[in-house]
Amino acid sequence: SYEVSQPVSVSVALGQTATITCEGDNIGKKHVHWYQQKPGQAPVLLIYRDSARPSGIPARFSGSNSGSTATLTISTAQGGDEADFYCQVWTSGTVLFGGGTKLTVL
Amino acid sequence: EVRLVESGGGLVRPGASLRLSCAASGFIFSDYTMNWVRQAPGKGLEWVASISSRSDYIYYGDSVRGRFTISRDNAKNSLSLQMHSLRADDTGVYYCARDGGMAAYYFDLWGLGDLLTVSS
C-alpha cells in the first residue's frame, strides 16, 4: 500500500525559510495538499494541488512536487507559524495523511 | 457564514455504538463530497470516510471499514457517521470536512471537531 512520510520535526530561525518534505513513491505524479494545525484547533488548508493557495493564505507559504518529494516552503518564518503541518494525497480510493511535522520557530 | 458543526460525541464503553452528526450551513451542501477525519489524542490526522455529493461513491479507511457507515441527507444539510463495535483506538476528535470541489479529495473547510472517548 502507498505511504507518505514526513520529518517529525523541523526548526527554523525567526525570519528564515523553513522547508517541510513529504516523501512517497512517485509522489510527483499525485496531487499533494498541505494543512496547518495549531494546538487545540482544527486543521486549515494551506496548499492544494501541489502549489495552489486558498484565499487568505499568505504568499509566504508555497508548495512544490516532483519525483519522490513534495515540499512545503515557509518564507520569513514568524512565531505564529509554529504548528503541526500535514501533507495529504488521494490514491486508489484512499486519503492518506503524512504523520505530521512539528515546526518550531527559534 | 460557511460552517460545519459536529455533534453526538461523548464517552462510550467498548463495543458500543454511536452516531455522529455534522450540520452544514452557508454553502450548497448537495454540491460537495463530504468527509470524516479523526485525530487520536496527541497523534496525527487519520481519514475515516468520504461520501460523494449524491451518495453514489463511498469510501472508508481500513481501520473502520465494516464497522462505520457514512451517510448524508442533502435535504437537511447533514452528514452522519454511524459507528458500531467501538474500540479504545477509536478514541479521538472527529472532524467533519468538506471536499475542495469536484471530488478533489482535499479538505477546504473543517468543523471544530467532536470528541469521542471509548473507555470502560
Side-chain angles (χ1 to χ4, degrees), chain B residues 3-101:
Chain B
R3 63 188 300 202
L4 299 168
V5 179
E6 302 90 344
S7 62
L11 173 63
V12 299
R13 303 294 190 204
S17 298
L18 194 71
R19 188 179 187 90
L20 298 181
S21 297
C22 172
S25 59
F27 65 98
I28 302 174
F29 181 73
S30 59
D31 282 351
Y32 291 86
T33 291
M34 295 297 297
N35 309 268
W36 289 99
V37 177
R38 69 184 182 182
Q39 186 170 35
K43 301 298 185 182
L45 301 173
E46 180 188 13
W47 169 72
V48 173
S50 296
I51 185 168
S52 62
S53 59
R54 291 179 291 184
S55 304
D56 44 359
Y57 294 96
I58 293 176
Y59 302 100
Y60 295 98
D62 289 344
S63 61
V64 307
R65 188 176 296 113
R67 299 187 300 124
F68 290 11
T69 301
I70 189 173
S71 62
R72 65 189 296 161
D73 185 337
N74 286 343
K76 296 182 178 179
N77 292 338
S78 178
L79 176 72
S80 295
L81 185 68
Q82 178 67 52
M83 303 179 289
H84 297 292
S85 303
L86 284 164
R87 312 184 303 221
D89 62 359
D90 293 317
T91 293
V93 175
Y94 283 71
Y95 294 101
C96 171
R98 186 182 75 176
D99 185 83

Side-chain angles (χ1 to χ4, degrees), chain A residues 1-99:
Chain A
S1 62
Y2 196 80
E3 294 182 355
V4 291
S5 62
Q6 301 178 230
V8 173
S9 62
V10 167
S11 298
V12 62
L14 187 68
Q16 298 304 301
T17 296
T19 58
I20 298 174
T21 57
C22 178
E23 296 186 348
D25 186 35
N26 276 325
I27 199 171
K29 295 185 181 297
K30 304 181 187 298
H31 285 307
V32 177
H33 320 291
W34 292 92
Y35 303 85
Q36 179 187 46
Q37 186 181 33
K38 296 182 179 180
Q41 298 184 16
V44 172
L45 179 66
L46 210 56
I47 296 289
Y48 64 99
R49 292 183 179 142
D50 301 332
S51 59
R53 272 191 319 276
S55 60
I57 300 300
R60 301 187 299 105
F61 296 92
S62 62
S64 63
N65 186 19
S66 178
S68 62
T69 304
T71 302
L72 173 69
T73 301
I74 306 169
S75 304
T76 318
Q78 303 175 357
D81 295 336
E82 284 202 338
D84 294 325
F85 292 84
Y86 297 90
C87 64
Q88 177 246 309
V89 300
W90 162 259
T91 180
S92 302
T94 299
V95 172
L96 291 174
F97 287 98

